[in-house]
Amino acid sequence: MKIHLTSVFVDDQAKALRFYTEVLGFVKKYDVPLGETDRWLTVVSPEEPGGTELLLEPAGHPAVKPYRDALGADGIPLAQFAVADVRAEYERLSGLGVRFTQEPVEMGPVTTAVFDDTCGNLIQIATQPE
Amino acid sequence: MADDLFKALADPTRRTILDELAEQSGQTLFEICSRLSMKHRLGISRQAVSQHLAVLEAAGLVETRREGRYKFHDLNTAPLRQITERWPVPDPSRPEESPS
């Protein structure tokens, strides 16, 4: 078994697609209309076009808001992405106006930081030691 | 107030939390939990950390603020002054008065 797809809920799929592609640098993989407004919308890393897809899933279900509000208040990220250098990525994203709730810090062997994806989620980036 | 302060300081985990907030003020609960587990190998639950933070907050050593959807914890060392007011610390810059 392997992880082929994982998802984050997003407030607005069009806005999420812009953030995840133009700011974070992912590329769109599937964009299939579903129902009136929703889309099956996935992005992948340009470094791994055949790798795990991230589904940007509409956050309309009533359970989503209380769930995300509670996690947000405590600063708990919904997903973790690997980057080559957390500090460099922190500088790059901060320069693009991305807001971090946790600046880069060494947590034992890994360095991590947490930012707001502007779509209702906190995302952690991490650099693993070689 | 003073009793709360001494109770808060009496616990080693709470002192570690204060150390981490001294290094970086303004942390979310998630970051505090991460630091305790990853840096200090303290395997304690998020609920337990929350309870420790509540004790520190009651003593005035930790203050919380909300920014948008997020809640941050800040260190406030002002209550510690009560300790040196109660048991004054000699000023090291002044030469010791010798009982001649």
PDB file of all heavy atoms in Angstrom, chain B residues 24-56:
ATOM      1  N   GLN B  24      11.929  31.837  22.473  1.00  0.00           N
ATOM      2  CA  GLN B  24      11.054  32.381  21.413  1.00  0.00           C
ATOM      3  C   GLN B  24       9.669  32.611  22.013  1.00  0.00           C
ATOM      4  O   GLN B  24       8.936  31.667  22.268  1.00  0.00           O
ATOM      5  CB  GLN B  24      10.984  31.385  20.242  1.00  0.00           C
ATOM      6  CG  GLN B  24       9.984  31.741  19.170  1.00  0.00           C
ATOM      7  CD  GLN B  24      10.405  32.939  18.348  1.00  0.00           C
ATOM      8  OE1 GLN B  24      11.505  32.981  17.828  1.00  0.00           O
ATOM      9  NE2 GLN B  24       9.533  33.933  18.242  1.00  0.00           N
ATOM     10  N   SER B  25       9.335  33.871  22.220  1.00  0.00           N
ATOM     11  CA  SER B  25       8.010  34.174  22.741  1.00  0.00           C
ATOM     12  C   SER B  25       7.003  34.116  21.590  1.00  0.00           C
ATOM     13  O   SER B  25       7.374  34.191  20.426  1.00  0.00           O
ATOM     14  CB  SER B  25       8.016  35.547  23.397  1.00  0.00           C
ATOM     15  OG  SER B  25       6.981  35.643  24.342  1.00  0.00           O
ATOM     16  N   GLY B  26       5.739  33.953  21.914  1.00  0.00           N
ATOM     17  CA  GLY B  26       4.717  33.942  20.875  1.00  0.00           C
ATOM     18  C   GLY B  26       4.624  32.611  20.154  1.00  0.00           C
ATOM     19  O   GLY B  26       4.751  32.548  18.938  1.00  0.00           O
ATOM     20  N   GLN B  27       4.417  31.528  20.912  1.00  0.00           N
ATOM     21  CA  GLN B  27       4.306  30.214  20.287  1.00  0.00           C
ATOM     22  C   GLN B  27       2.883  29.675  20.393  1.00  0.00           C
ATOM     23  O   GLN B  27       2.193  29.912  21.372  1.00  0.00           O
ATOM     24  CB  GLN B  27       5.247  29.211  20.977  1.00  0.00           C
ATOM     25  CG  GLN B  27       6.720  29.548  20.841  1.00  0.00           C
ATOM     26  CD  GLN B  27       7.594  28.434  21.415  1.00  0.00           C
ATOM     27  OE1 GLN B  27       7.312  27.267  21.250  1.00  0.00           O
ATOM     28  NE2 GLN B  27       8.650  28.824  22.106  1.00  0.00           N
ATOM     29  N   THR B  28       2.499  28.914  19.364  1.00  0.00           N
ATOM     30  CA  THR B  28       1.212  28.217  19.446  1.00  0.00           C
ATOM     31  C   THR B  28       1.380  26.979  20.317  1.00  0.00           C
ATOM     32  O   THR B  28       2.503  26.531  20.577  1.00  0.00           O
ATOM     33  CB  THR B  28       0.731  27.760  18.058  1.00  0.00           C
ATOM     34  OG1 THR B  28       1.679  26.816  17.534  1.00  0.00           O
ATOM     35  CG2 THR B  28       0.611  28.936  17.086  1.00  0.00           C
ATOM     36  N   LEU B  29       0.238  26.421  20.728  1.00  0.00           N
ATOM     37  CA  LEU B  29       0.281  25.180  21.504  1.00  0.00           C
ATOM     38  C   LEU B  29       1.024  24.091  20.726  1.00  0.00           C
ATOM     39  O   LEU B  29       1.812  23.335  21.285  1.00  0.00           O
ATOM     40  CB  LEU B  29      -1.153  24.714  21.821  1.00  0.00           C
ATOM     41  CG  LEU B  29      -1.271  23.388  22.578  1.00  0.00           C
ATOM     42  CD1 LEU B  29      -0.585  23.445  23.933  1.00  0.00           C
ATOM     43  CD2 LEU B  29      -2.738  22.989  22.742  1.00  0.00           C
ATOM     44  N   PHE B  30       0.782  24.034  19.422  1.00  0.00           N
ATOM     45  CA  PHE B  30       1.445  23.019  18.593  1.00  0.00           C
ATOM     46  C   PHE B  30       2.962  23.144  18.667  1.00  0.00           C
ATOM     47  O   PHE B  30       3.671  22.156  18.797  1.00  0.00           O
ATOM     48  CB  PHE B  30       0.973  23.147  17.136  1.00  0.00           C
ATOM     49  CG  PHE B  30       1.712  22.231  16.197  1.00  0.00           C
ATOM     50  CD1 PHE B  30       1.396  20.890  16.134  1.00  0.00           C
ATOM     51  CD2 PHE B  30       2.733  22.720  15.395  1.00  0.00           C
ATOM     52  CE1 PHE B  30       2.082  20.037  15.272  1.00  0.00           C
ATOM     53  CE2 PHE B  30       3.425  21.875  14.540  1.00  0.00           C
ATOM     54  CZ  PHE B  30       3.095  20.532  14.481  1.00  0.00           C
ATOM     55  N   GLU B  31       3.450  24.391  18.587  1.00  0.00           N
ATOM     56  CA  GLU B  31       4.903  24.561  18.607  1.00  0.00           C
ATOM     57  C   GLU B  31       5.481  24.183  19.969  1.00  0.00           C
ATOM     58  O   GLU B  31       6.527  23.534  20.056  1.00  0.00           O
ATOM     59  CB  GLU B  31       5.304  26.000  18.242  1.00  0.00           C
ATOM     60  CG  GLU B  31       6.807  26.143  18.179  1.00  0.00           C
ATOM     61  CD  GLU B  31       7.300  27.518  17.749  1.00  0.00           C
ATOM     62  OE1 GLU B  31       6.471  28.397  17.452  1.00  0.00           O
ATOM     63  OE2 GLU B  31       8.520  27.700  17.729  1.00  0.00           O
ATOM     64  N   ILE B  32       4.792  24.575  21.030  1.00  0.00           N
ATOM     65  CA  ILE B  32       5.276  24.226  22.369  1.00  0.00           C
ATOM     66  C   ILE B  32       5.328  22.701  22.510  1.00  0.00           C
ATOM     67  O   ILE B  32       6.325  22.140  22.975  1.00  0.00           O
ATOM     68  CB  ILE B  32       4.378  24.863  23.457  1.00  0.00           C
ATOM     69  CG1 ILE B  32       4.490  26.385  23.389  1.00  0.00           C
ATOM     70  CG2 ILE B  32       4.769  24.354  24.843  1.00  0.00           C
ATOM     71  CD1 ILE B  32       3.431  27.119  24.196  1.00  0.00           C
ATOM     72  N   CYS B  33       4.268  22.021  22.082  1.00  0.00           N
ATOM     73  CA  CYS B  33       4.243  20.549  22.152  1.00  0.00           C
ATOM     74  C   CYS B  33       5.371  19.948  21.321  1.00  0.00           C
ATOM     75  O   CYS B  33       6.031  19.000  21.746  1.00  0.00           O
ATOM     76  CB  CYS B  33       2.904  20.007  21.651  1.00  0.00           C
ATOM     77  SG  CYS B  33       1.519  20.355  22.735  1.00  0.00           S
ATOM     78  N   SER B  34       5.598  20.509  20.126  1.00  0.00           N
ATOM     79  CA  SER B  34       6.663  19.994  19.258  1.00  0.00           C
ATOM     80  C   SER B  34       8.016  20.130  19.933  1.00  0.00           C
ATOM     81  O   SER B  34       8.833  19.214  19.897  1.00  0.00           O
ATOM     82  CB  SER B  34       6.708  20.757  17.938  1.00  0.00           C
ATOM     83  OG  SER B  34       5.479  20.679  17.279  1.00  0.00           O
ATOM     84  N   ARG B  35       8.255  21.303  20.523  1.00  0.00           N
ATOM     85  CA  ARG B  35       9.553  21.521  21.170  1.00  0.00           C
ATOM     86  C   ARG B  35       9.755  20.565  22.330  1.00  0.00           C
ATOM     87  O   ARG B  35      10.849  20.022  22.524  1.00  0.00           O
ATOM     88  CB  ARG B  35       9.652  22.969  21.665  1.00  0.00           C
ATOM     89  CG  ARG B  35       9.892  23.965  20.537  1.00  0.00           C
ATOM     90  CD  ARG B  35       9.806  25.392  21.056  1.00  0.00           C
ATOM     91  NE  ARG B  35      10.029  26.348  19.994  1.00  0.00           N
ATOM     92  CZ  ARG B  35      11.055  27.205  19.962  1.00  0.00           C
ATOM     93  NH1 ARG B  35      11.945  27.218  20.925  1.00  0.00           N
ATOM     94  NH2 ARG B  35      11.173  28.037  18.963  1.00  0.00           N
ATOM     95  N   LEU B  36       8.705  20.349  23.118  1.00  0.00           N
ATOM     96  CA  LEU B  36       8.846  19.453  24.278  1.00  0.00           C
ATOM     97  C   LEU B  36       9.143  18.025  23.825  1.00  0.00           C
ATOM     98  O   LEU B  36       9.969  17.344  24.426  1.00  0.00           O
ATOM     99  CB  LEU B  36       7.571  19.480  25.134  1.00  0.00           C
ATOM    100  CG  LEU B  36       7.290  20.795  25.860  1.00  0.00           C
ATOM    101  CD1 LEU B  36       6.001  20.690  26.650  1.00  0.00           C
ATOM    102  CD2 LEU B  36       8.440  21.176  26.791  1.00  0.00           C
ATOM    103  N   SER B  37       8.491  17.601  22.751  1.00  0.00           N
ATOM    104  CA  SER B  37       8.707  16.210  22.337  1.00  0.00           C
ATOM    105  C   SER B  37       9.990  16.050  21.530  1.00  0.00           C
ATOM    106  O   SER B  37      10.755  15.120  21.752  1.00  0.00           O
ATOM    107  CB  SER B  37       7.499  15.674  21.573  1.00  0.00           C
ATOM    108  OG  SER B  37       7.334  16.384  20.375  1.00  0.00           O
ATOM    109  N   MET B  38      10.231  16.971  20.580  1.00  0.00           N
ATOM    110  CA  MET B  38      11.376  16.781  19.698  1.00  0.00           C
ATOM    111  C   MET B  38      12.694  17.217  20.335  1.00  0.00           C
ATOM    112  O   MET B  38      13.719  16.574  20.143  1.00  0.00           O
ATOM    113  CB  MET B  38      11.174  17.563  18.394  1.00  0.00           C
ATOM    114  CG  MET B  38       9.913  17.206  17.638  1.00  0.00           C
ATOM    115  SD  MET B  38       9.985  15.591  16.854  1.00  0.00           S
ATOM    116  CE  MET B  38      11.116  15.930  15.505  1.00  0.00           C
ATOM    117  N   LYS B  39      12.674  18.326  21.063  1.00  0.00           N
ATOM    118  CA  LYS B  39      13.928  18.824  21.628  1.00  0.00           C
ATOM    119  C   LYS B  39      14.214  18.221  22.991  1.00  0.00           C
ATOM    120  O   LYS B  39      15.358  18.043  23.370  1.00  0.00           O
ATOM    121  CB  LYS B  39      13.882  20.353  21.773  1.00  0.00           C
ATOM    122  CG  LYS B  39      14.003  21.089  20.456  1.00  0.00           C
ATOM    123  CD  LYS B  39      13.891  22.597  20.637  1.00  0.00           C
ATOM    124  CE  LYS B  39      15.092  23.208  21.337  1.00  0.00           C
ATOM    125  NZ  LYS B  39      14.939  24.681  21.433  1.00  0.00           N
ATOM    126  N   HIS B  40      13.145  17.970  23.740  1.00  0.00           N
ATOM    127  CA  HIS B  40      13.359  17.541  25.127  1.00  0.00           C
ATOM    128  C   HIS B  40      12.938  16.103  25.382  1.00  0.00           C
ATOM    129  O   HIS B  40      13.033  15.626  26.510  1.00  0.00           O
ATOM    130  CB  HIS B  40      12.610  18.485  26.077  1.00  0.00           C
ATOM    131  CG  HIS B  40      13.095  19.894  25.993  1.00  0.00           C
ATOM    132  ND1 HIS B  40      14.230  20.325  26.638  1.00  0.00           N
ATOM    133  CD2 HIS B  40      12.632  20.958  25.306  1.00  0.00           C
ATOM    134  CE1 HIS B  40      14.436  21.602  26.359  1.00  0.00           C
ATOM    135  NE2 HIS B  40      13.478  22.018  25.549  1.00  0.00           N
ATOM    136  N   ARG B  41      12.454  15.440  24.335  1.00  0.00           N
ATOM    137  CA  ARG B  41      12.044  14.032  24.466  1.00  0.00           C
ATOM    138  C   ARG B  41      11.035  13.849  25.594  1.00  0.00           C
ATOM    139  O   ARG B  41      11.082  12.854  26.309  1.00  0.00           O
ATOM    140  CB  ARG B  41      13.271  13.131  24.723  1.00  0.00           C
ATOM    141  CG  ARG B  41      14.340  13.247  23.663  1.00  0.00           C
ATOM    142  CD  ARG B  41      14.024  12.401  22.469  1.00  0.00           C
ATOM    143  NE  ARG B  41      14.810  12.828  21.301  1.00  0.00           N
ATOM    144  CZ  ARG B  41      14.400  12.667  20.057  1.00  0.00           C
ATOM    145  NH1 ARG B  41      13.238  12.125  19.819  1.00  0.00           N
ATOM    146  NH2 ARG B  41      15.140  13.063  19.056  1.00  0.00           N
ATOM    147  N   LEU B  42      10.174  14.845  25.766  1.00  0.00           N
ATOM    148  CA  LEU B  42       9.141  14.724  26.793  1.00  0.00           C
ATOM    149  C   LEU B  42       7.871  14.240  26.112  1.00  0.00           C
ATOM    150  O   LEU B  42       7.250  14.965  25.348  1.00  0.00           O
ATOM    151  CB  LEU B  42       8.880  16.079  27.460  1.00  0.00           C
ATOM    152  CG  LEU B  42       9.994  16.603  28.369  1.00  0.00           C
ATOM    153  CD1 LEU B  42       9.691  18.030  28.796  1.00  0.00           C
ATOM    154  CD2 LEU B  42      10.144  15.712  29.592  1.00  0.00           C
ATOM    155  N   GLY B  43       7.535  12.991  26.360  1.00  0.00           N
ATOM    156  CA  GLY B  43       6.359  12.427  25.705  1.00  0.00           C
ATOM    157  C   GLY B  43       5.103  12.708  26.504  1.00  0.00           C
ATOM    158  O   GLY B  43       4.586  11.845  27.186  1.00  0.00           O
ATOM    159  N   ILE B  44       4.632  13.958  26.438  1.00  0.00           N
ATOM    160  CA  ILE B  44       3.407  14.272  27.182  1.00  0.00           C
ATOM    161  C   ILE B  44       2.328  14.720  26.211  1.00  0.00           C
ATOM    162  O   ILE B  44       2.618  15.263  25.152  1.00  0.00           O
ATOM    163  CB  ILE B  44       3.643  15.333  28.285  1.00  0.00           C
ATOM    164  CG1 ILE B  44       4.404  16.528  27.747  1.00  0.00           C
ATOM    165  CG2 ILE B  44       4.381  14.735  29.453  1.00  0.00           C
ATOM    166  CD1 ILE B  44       4.636  17.601  28.784  1.00  0.00           C
ATOM    167  N   SER B  45       1.109  14.474  26.612  1.00  0.00           N
ATOM    168  CA  SER B  45      -0.007  14.732  25.704  1.00  0.00           C
ATOM    169  C   SER B  45      -0.255  16.227  25.566  1.00  0.00           C
ATOM    170  O   SER B  45       0.139  17.030  26.408  1.00  0.00           O
ATOM    171  CB  SER B  45      -1.275  14.061  26.230  1.00  0.00           C
ATOM    172  OG  SER B  45      -1.723  14.738  27.386  1.00  0.00           O
ATOM    173  N   ARG B  46      -0.939  16.564  24.472  1.00  0.00           N
ATOM    174  CA  ARG B  46      -1.309  17.963  24.235  1.00  0.00           C
ATOM    175  C   ARG B  46      -2.190  18.485  25.371  1.00  0.00           C
ATOM    176  O   ARG B  46      -2.066  19.635  25.786  1.00  0.00           O
ATOM    177  CB  ARG B  46      -2.043  18.016  22.893  1.00  0.00           C
ATOM    178  CG  ARG B  46      -2.342  19.378  22.399  1.00  0.00           C
ATOM    179  CD  ARG B  46      -2.835  19.313  20.960  1.00  0.00           C
ATOM    180  NE  ARG B  46      -1.739  19.160  20.024  1.00  0.00           N
ATOM    181  CZ  ARG B  46      -1.702  18.276  19.027  1.00  0.00           C
ATOM    182  NH1 ARG B  46      -2.696  17.461  18.846  1.00  0.00           N
ATOM    183  NH2 ARG B  46      -0.675  18.233  18.227  1.00  0.00           N
ATOM    184  N   GLN B  47      -3.070  17.607  25.869  1.00  0.00           N
ATOM    185  CA  GLN B  47      -3.951  18.014  26.973  1.00  0.00           C
ATOM    186  C   GLN B  47      -3.133  18.351  28.209  1.00  0.00           C
ATOM    187  O   GLN B  47      -3.416  19.331  28.904  1.00  0.00           O
ATOM    188  CB  GLN B  47      -4.946  16.890  27.314  1.00  0.00           C
ATOM    189  CG  GLN B  47      -6.052  16.683  26.289  1.00  0.00           C
ATOM    190  CD  GLN B  47      -5.570  15.959  25.026  1.00  0.00           C
ATOM    191  OE1 GLN B  47      -4.456  15.412  24.983  1.00  0.00           O
ATOM    192  NE2 GLN B  47      -6.393  15.963  23.995  1.00  0.00           N
ATOM    193  N   ALA B  48      -2.105  17.554  28.464  1.00  0.00           N
ATOM    194  CA  ALA B  48      -1.260  17.807  29.639  1.00  0.00           C
ATOM    195  C   ALA B  48      -0.502  19.124  29.478  1.00  0.00           C
ATOM    196  O   ALA B  48      -0.380  19.900  30.429  1.00  0.00           O
ATOM    197  CB  ALA B  48      -0.292  16.646  29.846  1.00  0.00           C
ATOM    198  N   VAL B  49      -0.020  19.377  28.267  1.00  0.00           N
ATOM    199  CA  VAL B  49       0.688  20.643  28.025  1.00  0.00           C
ATOM    200  C   VAL B  49      -0.277  21.810  28.223  1.00  0.00           C
ATOM    201  O   VAL B  49       0.068  22.835  28.829  1.00  0.00           O
ATOM    202  CB  VAL B  49       1.312  20.667  26.611  1.00  0.00           C
ATOM    203  CG1 VAL B  49       1.970  22.015  26.338  1.00  0.00           C
ATOM    204  CG2 VAL B  49       2.331  19.548  26.456  1.00  0.00           C
ATOM    205  N   SER B  50      -1.505  21.648  27.742  1.00  0.00           N
ATOM    206  CA  SER B  50      -2.528  22.682  27.935  1.00  0.00           C
ATOM    207  C   SER B  50      -2.733  22.980  29.410  1.00  0.00           C
ATOM    208  O   SER B  50      -2.863  24.135  29.814  1.00  0.00           O
ATOM    209  CB  SER B  50      -3.873  22.210  27.374  1.00  0.00           C
ATOM    210  OG  SER B  50      -4.033  22.648  26.071  1.00  0.00           O
ATOM    211  N   GLN B  51      -2.770  21.905  30.207  1.00  0.00           N
ATOM    212  CA  GLN B  51      -2.977  22.094  31.647  1.00  0.00           C
ATOM    213  C   GLN B  51      -1.781  22.801  32.277  1.00  0.00           C
ATOM    214  O   GLN B  51      -1.949  23.685  33.121  1.00  0.00           O
ATOM    215  CB  GLN B  51      -3.236  20.747  32.322  1.00  0.00           C
ATOM    216  CG  GLN B  51      -4.651  20.230  32.029  1.00  0.00           C
ATOM    217  CD  GLN B  51      -4.858  18.774  32.424  1.00  0.00           C
ATOM    218  OE1 GLN B  51      -3.970  18.138  32.977  1.00  0.00           O
ATOM    219  NE2 GLN B  51      -6.034  18.262  32.126  1.00  0.00           N
ATOM    220  N   HIS B  52      -0.574  22.434  31.853  1.00  0.00           N
ATOM    221  CA  HIS B  52       0.616  23.127  32.360  1.00  0.00           C
ATOM    222  C   HIS B  52       0.556  24.616  32.003  1.00  0.00           C
ATOM    223  O   HIS B  52       0.872  25.477  32.822  1.00  0.00           O
ATOM    224  CB  HIS B  52       1.889  22.511  31.770  1.00  0.00           C
ATOM    225  CG  HIS B  52       2.295  21.215  32.422  1.00  0.00           C
ATOM    226  ND1 HIS B  52       2.411  21.074  33.786  1.00  0.00           N
ATOM    227  CD2 HIS B  52       2.632  20.015  31.894  1.00  0.00           C
ATOM    228  CE1 HIS B  52       2.800  19.832  34.075  1.00  0.00           C
ATOM    229  NE2 HIS B  52       2.925  19.170  32.934  1.00  0.00           N
ATOM    230  N   LEU B  53       0.147  24.893  30.770  1.00  0.00           N
ATOM    231  CA  LEU B  53       0.066  26.295  30.333  1.00  0.00           C
ATOM    232  C   LEU B  53      -0.978  27.053  31.159  1.00  0.00           C
ATOM    233  O   LEU B  53      -0.787  28.233  31.479  1.00  0.00           O
ATOM    234  CB  LEU B  53      -0.276  26.368  28.842  1.00  0.00           C
ATOM    235  CG  LEU B  53       0.894  26.054  27.906  1.00  0.00           C
ATOM    236  CD1 LEU B  53       0.402  25.857  26.480  1.00  0.00           C
ATOM    237  CD2 LEU B  53       1.954  27.162  27.953  1.00  0.00           C
ATOM    238  N   ALA B  54      -2.065  26.367  31.526  1.00  0.00           N
ATOM    239  CA  ALA B  54      -3.102  27.024  32.324  1.00  0.00           C
ATOM    240  C   ALA B  54      -2.546  27.410  33.700  1.00  0.00           C
ATOM    241  O   ALA B  54      -2.864  28.488  34.223  1.00  0.00           O
ATOM    242  CB  ALA B  54      -4.311  26.104  32.466  1.00  0.00           C
ATOM    243  N   VAL B  55      -1.708  26.541  34.275  1.00  0.00           N
ATOM    244  CA  VAL B  55      -1.101  26.851  35.579  1.00  0.00           C
ATOM    245  C   VAL B  55      -0.150  28.046  35.445  1.00  0.00           C
ATOM    246  O   VAL B  55      -0.146  28.960  36.278  1.00  0.00           O
ATOM    247  CB  VAL B  55      -0.347  25.605  36.136  1.00  0.00           C
ATOM    248  CG1 VAL B  55       0.385  25.952  37.420  1.00  0.00           C
ATOM    249  CG2 VAL B  55      -1.315  24.453  36.364  1.00  0.00           C
ATOM    250  N   LEU B  56       0.636  28.043  34.362  1.00  0.00           N
ATOM    251  CA  LEU B  56       1.563  29.157  34.125  1.00  0.00           C
ATOM    252  C   LEU B  56       0.803  30.456  33.880  1.00  0.00           C
ATOM    253  O   LEU B  56       1.215  31.535  34.322  1.00  0.00           O
ATOM    254  CB  LEU B  56       2.469  28.839  32.922  1.00  0.00           C
ATOM    255  CG  LEU B  56       3.498  27.726  33.143  1.00  0.00           C
ATOM    256  CD1 LEU B  56       4.120  27.286  31.825  1.00  0.00           C
ATOM    257  CD2 LEU B  56       4.582  28.168  34.129  1.00  0.00           C
TER     258      LEU B  56
END
